[in-house]
Amino acid sequence: MNLPSSPSTGPWSARPATALASGGPLPAPLPAAAFLGPHHLVHRPDTPEGFLLAATPPGRHRFGFSAQLPEAHPLFSDSTAPFHDLLYPMESLRQMGVFAAGRYFRVPENRRILLADCTMAVTALAPWERGGAGAAQLTLDLDMTPADVVKGVPRTMDCRASIAIDGKRCGTVGARLVFLMPGVYRTHRAHSRRESERAAQGPSGLPAGHGVPGPELVGRRSPRNVLIGLPLAEDGDSLVFPVDIPAAREVLPDSGSEVPTALFLEVSRQAALFGVGELYGLAPGHAVLTDWAATFRGFAEPGLPLRCAVRPHTSHAPGEVFRDAAGRPVAELGLTFTQGSRVVAAVRTSVLQIC
């Protein structure tokens, strides 16, 4: 499981996305749905009760989400590859799930909402390309299905969506949310903290004097968005990166007092792009993640060092790539996030070389 969000945070307070500044201090990240900029969420109930009461008994609910993909955002518009940012639809799904939990599924505000797992897949690459006339329109057709319902309140919820850009289907995204009572959350959190503190030593940022990779090596243009340091160790077929948690909390949504949920996608992407350059000889600035799947185990503590290890996936020999239908090289990687000896998250991803 990952980090908590409040179900009271919804899309109705959305504000325009922050413009990308040219120099000067990095704008503070907007909290929750405001981070996404202007957008719309429409409930599509399947029963007459849903239309009359704006809620239905526990069961699958359908929603439609739409927004313009950002063109001038300090994070979403900072990719070296000519594609819209994959983080945007994933963060949209998570935030819509958090909002719907309280609005449509009766989850009390005191429940802690945790991300247990998350997936993303690009099914068609062309719609993701930037550069068309005007802003591109993102739509998500969402299905949200509660489970383990006790007295009308779900303990978990499965969120799945198909992604379309300018009306063209181009991907899927999914997540499973878990709703914990405050006492259960505190117990799990305390256990995770004790386990991490046994072996994790040092700052939550980079080690003193440790260097950072050039932004183009992790698929970014601005150094302010680089969230990993140079590898701490390598053994020929794996790399271990320190994660800069303070830097992540400056640029990612829902920071608060926690490690931002979006950190795991953004850091795994940066580590994977750097990794394909070192392990496969691919060009990080001209590569894109096409599949991403993560499971979360316990909690990441913001005050302790976090590490991300990257290695070729076990289904392939070190340095081996395969080809997609267009003949382009694809590398499969496994990533593991740890605090001390404790595994916080495990990720599998595919990275496509686009030129």
Side-chain angles (χ1 to χ4, degrees):
M1 302 176 195
N2 197 13
L3 304 167
S5 301
S6 167
S8 61
T9 299
W12 314 122
S13 61
R15 300 194 300 272
T18 304
L20 179 63
S22 56
L26 183 67
L30 297 173
F35 190 81
L36 301 177
H39 56 273
H40 303 278
L41 181 68
V42 178
H43 186 210
R44 298 169 176 168
D46 293 329
T47 66
E49 293 88 349
F51 286 102
L52 292 174
L53 304 176
T56 64
R60 184 184 66 179
H61 289 223
R62 292 180 172 176
F63 298 84
F65 171 88
S66 64
Q68 287 188 347
L69 285 164
E71 294 186 304
H73 189 280
L75 179 66
F76 296 138
S77 304
D78 189 48
S79 174
T80 56
F83 296 101
H84 298 293
D85 198 320
L86 302 176
L87 179 59
Y88 190 89
M90 295 190 72
E91 184 62 15
S92 299
L93 177 79
R94 186 189 69 83
Q95 291 187 17
M96 295 310 99
V98 168
F99 172 77
R103 177 64 179 84
Y104 297 103
F105 296 98
R106 309 185 185 97
V107 175
E109 290 190 8
N110 69 342
R111 299 292 170 90
R112 307 297 293 196
I113 301 182
L114 314 176
L115 186 64
D117 56 56
C118 193
T119 62
M120 179 277 301
V122 172
T123 56
L125 193 59
W128 291 92
E129 293 184 21
R130 298 195 308 258
Q137 188 74 18
L138 171 75
T139 57
L140 301 179
D141 288 327
L142 297 96
D143 285 346
M144 299 185 186
T145 307
D148 302 323
V149 179
V150 178
K151 296 181 179 180
V153 177
R155 293 179 178 176
T156 64
M157 185 165 66
D158 186 67
C159 308
R160 304 291 159 186
S162 61
I163 304 171
I165 297 177
D166 288 338
K168 299 177 181 177
R169 292 286 183 94
C170 56
T172 60
V173 62
R176 184 165 58 93
L177 303 179
V178 178
F179 311 119
L180 293 182
M181 294 286 289
V184 176
Y185 164 77
R186 287 193 294 268
T187 299
H188 283 295
R189 183 70 184 272
H191 175 75
S192 294
R193 185 182 300 113
R194 287 194 300 269
E195 289 296 310
S196 292
E197 288 175 342
R198 290 177 182 175
Q201 303 293 329
S204 61
L206 303 182
H210 196 81
V212 298
E216 70 283 353
L217 296 179
V218 298
R220 290 298 183 186
R221 292 179 295 165
S222 170
R224 298 177 296 185
N225 289 325
V226 177
L227 306 184
I228 61 174
L230 291 170
L232 293 167
E234 53 184 292
D235 59 12
D237 63 354
S238 65
L239 304 167
V240 179
F241 298 91
V243 179
D244 194 340
I245 294 178
R249 294 174 68 183
E250 291 182 1
V251 301
L252 295 173
D254 278 353
S255 297
S257 62
E258 307 285 357
V259 175
T261 300
L263 174 146
F264 293 95
L265 172 59
E266 182 57 30
V267 167
S268 61
R269 173 170 52 186
Q270 293 188 14
L273 292 177
F274 189 104
V276 295
E278 292 292 308
L279 302 174
Y280 297 89
L282 303 183
H286 299 279
V288 62
L289 272 63
T290 55
D291 288 280
W292 187 87
T295 56
F296 302 99
R297 308 170 186 176
F299 301 89
E301 291 297 327
L304 296 174
L306 180 65
R307 304 290 183 251
C308 178
V310 180
R311 59 184 55 84
H313 192 263
T314 54
S315 63
H316 296 281
E320 178 185 2
V321 298
F322 63 93
R323 302 279 172 172
D324 70 358
R328 297 170 296 199
V330 179
E332 288 192 343
L333 298 171
L335 300 93
T336 305
F337 288 84
T338 57
Q339 283 193 314
S341 59
R342 186 172 67 87
V343 174
V344 175
V347 177
R348 177 177 175 177
T349 190
S350 298
V351 181
L352 171 68
Q353 179 77 69
I354 60 175
C355 65

